[in-house]
Amino acid sequence: MPEGLEAEIWRGACEPLIGRTIVAADVDERVAPFAFAHVVVGATIGDVRRVGKVVLLGLLPTGEQTSRSIGLHFGMTGRLIVDGVAAIERLSYASGRDAAQWDRCVLQTDPAPAAGVGTPALRFNDPRRLGRVTIDPDLSRLGVDIFDVTAAALGAALGRRQIAIKTALLDQHVVAGLGNLLVDEMLWRAGLDPHRPAATLDQREVRRLAEMIRRRLPIMLRRGGSTTGALSPDVRSAPHACARDGFPLRRETIGGRTTIWCPGHQH
DNA sequence: CGGCATGTTTCGCC
DNA sequence: AGGCGAAACATGCC
């Protein structure tokens, strides 16, 4: 479920962790680097940031060690439970149980959560285990962040690429934080056919797309994330008419991902 | 049971 | 060399 909006919600949920010291880390070694626990235990969380779909817990420098950060990459099904509370419940695999067997990284802190010493400060829960917990993730090649998109940045990033605009927008080196749902939503809002080669968008269309991203993201963030658009999971999973013009929505695969779009107004 | 999934990386073919 | 699509990863849900 995690796209940039979910990461942003979880970033906010992690803010109470600032100033706490990690006293224990129980990690599934299949999703974390060697010696992860060794690196983070004893460190104090200094700040919490987000870049694209990644949540970053900044660690204050200790003694000989330079400052480091924990990167949380959620994959398809990762999610966070902070101080015993899941900031987002409206997720797949969240129906009913959030099984402890799917916990891939559990952090205990000092001070402990108000909920009690037995409650982990952070649980990285991921059934499919496509997510990753990293140390000092390389973010240097990511594109402009979703909340910083401008027409100029978007135009430059799309460049002369001939790949479908749908595929280009999913590339994190172009825009960091857009996922499959958000891309379909923004193309629907901007009235752009997802098959269009990226380079064929003229300036006016790039401006319109950037404007939709800039305007809709804060609204969807307030409403609860990537699932709150006109092309909600409910709309995506069964045949629906376009909410804008009544045209039957089309469902097809573009760039390997299921794409929902309206042939009536997306050109 | 078959198909599908809000993501990223890798492989192989132009 | 670089771009691109398919496959792989891993597991649960409908």
Side-chain angles (χ1 to χ4, degrees):
Chain A
M1 161 88 32
E3 301 187 21
L5 290 182
E6 284 67 37
E8 176 59 21
I9 291 169
W10 284 321
R11 182 204 60 72
C14 284
E15 282 185 348
L17 301 178
I18 294 172
R20 294 197 214 165
T21 298
I22 298 169
V23 294
D26 185 14
V27 296
D28 182 332
E29 60 201 19
R30 294 171 296 187
V31 309
F34 178 71
F36 173 84
H38 179 73
V39 171
V40 305
V41 170
T44 298
I45 297 171
D47 61 57
V48 180
R49 296 184 297 130
R50 176 199 58 79
V51 178
K53 301 175 183 175
V54 182
V55 171
L56 295 160
L57 306 179
L59 305 178
L60 297 179
T62 61
E64 74 286 355
Q65 226 166 59
T66 56
S67 70
R68 295 177 177 275
S69 63
I70 297 173
L72 303 172
H73 313 243
F74 298 95
M76 292 278 268
T77 57
R79 66 191 137 157
L80 282 190
I81 298 102
V82 179
D83 288 350
V85 177
I88 305 174
E89 279 299 353
R90 211 184 326 171
L91 299 176
S92 334
Y93 302 91
S95 52
R97 81 227 114 158
D98 60 344
Q101 68 181 114
W102 297 332
D103 283 349
R104 308 304 179 189
C105 176
V106 177
L107 302 181
Q108 310 283 347
T109 61
D110 177 27
V117 176
T119 304
L122 182 143
R123 292 171 56 204
F124 180 86
N125 186 270
D126 182 13
R128 266 173 82 180
R129 212 198 307 142
L130 292 174
R132 290 291 178 270
V133 179
T134 61
I135 298 290
D136 294 336
D138 178 13
L139 308 170
S140 62
R141 296 178 57 213
L142 291 179
V144 59
D145 186 77
I146 40 173
F147 284 100
D148 300 325
V149 167
T150 62
L154 189 56
L158 294 176
R160 285 188 252 96
R161 304 186 66 175
Q162 291 300 309
I163 55 172
I165 183 64
K166 156 87 182 195
T167 308
L169 292 175
L170 278 175
D171 184 345
Q172 300 301 293
H173 306 316
V174 173
V175 177
L178 292 181
N180 204 32
L181 297 194
L182 286 176
V183 167
D184 282 5
E185 182 75 18
M186 298 309 163
L187 291 175
W188 183 86
R189 297 261 170 205
L192 295 170
D193 182 337
H195 299 92
R196 290 268 302 278
T200 66
L201 270 63
D202 63 29
Q203 278 196 4
R204 189 175 53 88
E205 290 170 325
V206 171
R207 270 204 306 275
R208 201 197 308 155
L209 180 56
E211 179 69 8
M212 287 305 152
I213 293 172
R214 201 184 64 73
R215 286 216 316 247
R216 298 309 300 183
L217 283 181
I219 296 172
M220 294 176 72
L221 179 64
R222 281 198 299 275
R223 291 182 181 169
S226 309
T227 60
T228 62
L231 304 183
S232 65
D234 175 53
V235 170
R236 299 179 69 86
S237 62
H240 271 78
C242 173
R244 178 172 295 183
D245 61 16
F247 218 89
L249 290 174
R250 193 165 294 174
R251 174 195 177 89
E252 59 188 286
T253 299
I254 302 177
R257 307 302 300 279
T258 296
T259 302
I260 308 295
W261 66 289
C262 173
H265 78 272
Q266 291 179 251
H267 302 292

